Amino acid sequence: MTRMETSRATTAKQLRPYTRPLIKNAWYVAGWSEDFGDDLLARRILDEPILFYRATSGEPVAVLDVCPHKLAPMRLGQRIGDDVQCGYHGLKFNKHGQCVHNPQGNGIIPPNAKLKSYPTVERYSVVWIWMGDPAKADPDNIPDFSVLDDPKLKPVKGGHKVESNYMMMVENLLDLGHALFLHANTGGMGNLQLTESKITNEDGAIKDWRLYTDIPTPSLFAQFLNEERADLWSDIRWSAPSVLLNNAGVSPVGRARDKSVAVEQYGTHFLTPETQTTTHYFYANTRNYALDDPAGDEAWRQWQRKALKAEDSMVAEAIQSVVPQAEELEVEMVVLSTDLSGIRANRILEEMAVAEEGE
Ligand code: FES
Ligand SMILES: [Fe+2]
C-alpha cells in the first residue's frame, strides 16, 4: 500500500462509528407519551417507516407503514377502533398487524396479508420501540429514567431532528468538556479547570464523571444557588445504543453532589436514528429547584434552543457534512484523553453491530 492508501484506510476505519450499520436489537425512544394519541402518527425509525397509534386500551401500537397489497402508506388510511384501514382499497389490520377484513371481491384474506408489528413499552413518560428480533425484546433492559416521572422534580421536554448520524450526538454528550467552549457563552462555563474525572462501567452502562471545584457559579444556575462560587459537576451515563442521562448541578464549595444542598438537573437525551444520516433527538431537563416558576421553565427552554439545537446539533450536522469527504482528504483523526468514554461506548456498539451482521 502507498502512504496515501494507508492514510485513507486509517481514516475509513476511524469513520466507522458514523457509518457502521444501525443496531437493531435495542430499545429506542419512539417519542414522548404525549406524542401518541388517537390519530395515526408516522415516524421513520432505523430507516423503517412506522405507523403508531394508541389502541382503545391506551397501549401504543407500532406497525409497518406499508400496506402489503400495493405498498400504499397506511398513514393515508384511518384508525377504526383497535384496527387501521388502508385508504387505497380498504384492507383492515388489527393492532398485531394481522389483516382482519377485505372489502374487495370475494373478501378472502390472503394468509400473508399482514403488517410487520413492533414491540412497544410505555415507561418514564416515553414510548419505547424494539426494532430487532421480537423474541429478544426484554422490557427489563430499558435503562432507568425514572427522574422523568419524579413528582419532586420538574421536567421541560423538547425535541428536534438532527441532520447527522446519531453517533455525532452520542460522542458530543459523552464528552461534556465541549461545554467549556461550545457553550461558554450559553451557560457561563468558559475556561474551567477540570478537578476530577473518572469513568465507571455499571452493568454495561458507561458513566463519565466530571467535577470542577471552587469556580464562579455558572450563570445557568447562579440565580438559584445564591453563592458567588460553587462546585460544579457534570456526570453522564450512556446506555447502548443511544440513551443518556446527565446529572449536572452546583453546590456550595466543598459539597459537590450533596443532594441536600444541590441546585441540579437531570438531562435526558434520547437519540433515535431516523436514517443512517438523520436522528430524532428527544430531550428533557428535569430540575430540583423553582418547580413552579415559569422563569425556570423558560430558562431551560432557552438552553435547549441554544445549546442543544443551535450549538450541539449545528456541530453534529457540520461534522456529518465532512464525513463523505474525510477519506479523500486523508484526515487522520486524533484522540484526546477525554475521548475515553466515547471510545468505550463505540467498542460496545461495534461488538453489537458485528454480532448482528453475523446473524
Ligand atoms: S394498497 Fe392497501 S388495500 Fe390496496
Ligand atoms: Fe452540548
Side-chain angles (χ1 to χ4, degrees):
M1 261 207 265
T2 64
R3 226 178 109 212
M4 189 197 283
E5 281 167 343
T6 312
S7 176
R8 281 188 172 203
T10 304
T11 311
K13 203 167 150 215
Q14 291 175 328
L15 291 175
R16 171 83 176 164
Y18 311 139
T19 57
R20 84 177 143 234
L22 302 172
I23 310 291
K24 291 206 157 209
N25 286 314
W27 288 106
Y28 287 97
V29 169
W32 298 111
S33 285
E34 53 266 35
D35 296 349
F36 303 88
D38 288 341
D39 294 340
L40 299 176
L41 172 78
R43 196 162 269 171
R44 183 173 285 269
I45 296 179
L46 269 58
D47 225 358
E48 296 186 30
I50 301 177
L51 185 75
F52 295 92
Y53 62 96
R54 280 191 190 275
T56 45
S57 60
E59 81 190 271
V61 174
V63 289
L64 191 68
D65 188 20
V66 179
C67 178
H69 178 218
K70 291 290 175 189
L71 308 183
M74 291 300 297
R75 64 178 177 275
L76 303 178
Q78 59 174 327
R79 173 180 168 270
I80 302 172
D82 274 0
D83 303 333
V84 60
Q85 183 165 42
C86 180
Y88 198 3
H89 312 93
L91 285 183
K92 208 200 266 183
F93 302 85
N94 68 16
K95 62 182 179 181
H96 307 294
Q98 183 60 51
C99 184
V100 290
H101 181 62
N102 170 13
Q104 303 286 342
N106 62 9
I108 290 173
I109 297 173
N112 57 348
K114 45 174 96 101
L115 302 169
K116 176 180 176 185
S117 93
Y118 301 80
T120 61
V121 171
E122 189 161 20
R123 189 176 293 173
Y124 312 130
S125 306
V126 160
V127 172
W128 302 80
I129 185 167
W130 181 268
M131 297 298 296
D133 177 359
K136 295 184 177 162
D138 180 355
D140 286 349
N141 291 334
I142 294 174
D144 182 358
F145 284 95
S146 52
V147 291
L148 287 167
D149 289 335
D150 187 332
K152 296 187 294 305
L153 305 173
K154 174 73 186 293
V156 175
K157 297 176 186 170
H160 63 260
K161 187 93 73 68
V162 186
E163 302 287 324
S164 82
N165 180 271
Y166 74 106
M167 283 308 296
M168 277 78 165
M169 290 304 298
V170 169
E171 290 183 340
N172 165 292
L173 288 155
L174 274 172
D175 180 7
L176 291 173
H178 76 263
L180 311 188
F181 286 85
L182 190 58
H183 308 316
N185 298 321
T186 306
M189 287 181 238
N191 288 324
L192 300 182
Q193 278 303 320
L194 193 58
T195 313
E196 277 172 38
S197 121
K198 65 173 175 175
I199 298 172
T200 55
N201 192 326
E202 297 165 15
D203 291 333
I206 291 168
K207 198 160 171 188
D208 188 312
W209 310 68
R210 300 190 188 189
L211 178 64
Y212 306 84
T213 49
D214 197 1
I215 59 163
T217 306
S219 59
L220 191 59
F221 297 109
Q223 72 182 110
F224 304 103
L225 185 68
N226 216 6
E227 300 265 351
E228 273 179 26
R229 299 187 72 79
D231 287 353
L232 164 76
W233 60 97
S234 187
D235 307 331
I236 194 147
R237 181 196 75 193
W238 167 87
S239 306
S242 54
V243 291
L244 300 103
L245 180 67
N246 160 238
N247 173 229
V250 287
S251 65
V253 174
R255 300 187 67 179
R257 301 191 182 89
D258 179 342
K259 298 276 166 207
S260 66
V261 288
V263 169
E264 63 178 350
Q265 67 86 41
Y266 292 90
T268 327
H269 302 269
F270 302 130
L271 287 316
T272 303
E274 179 189 50
T275 67
Q276 187 72 33
T277 55
T278 58
T279 301
H280 301 286
Y281 187 8
F282 305 103
Y283 43 77
N285 292 100
T286 303
R287 65 186 191 272
N288 77 337
Y289 56 90
L291 302 197
D292 300 320
D293 183 355
D297 291 356
E298 189 44 36
W300 280 109
R301 249 179 234 118
Q302 264 186 37
W303 165 263
Q304 292 169 348
R305 274 196 297 270
K306 187 97 195 304
L308 304 186
K309 192 159 194 282
E311 295 172 346
D312 290 327
S313 301
M314 177 275 292
V315 171
E317 292 174 354
I319 294 170
Q320 180 68 56
S321 73
V322 175
V323 167
Q325 218 198 343
E327 206 177 315
E328 185 189 319
L329 294 172
E330 298 171 53
V331 183
E332 285 190 27
M333 296 163 73
V334 298
V335 176
L336 306 182
S337 63
T338 38
D339 293 329
L340 196 56
S341 50
I343 289 169
R344 289 196 186 176
N346 268 307
R347 207 173 284 152
I348 291 172
L349 290 171
E350 187 59 26
E351 279 171 18
M352 292 172 82
V354 168
E356 290 191 4
E357 276 170 329
E359 272 177 8

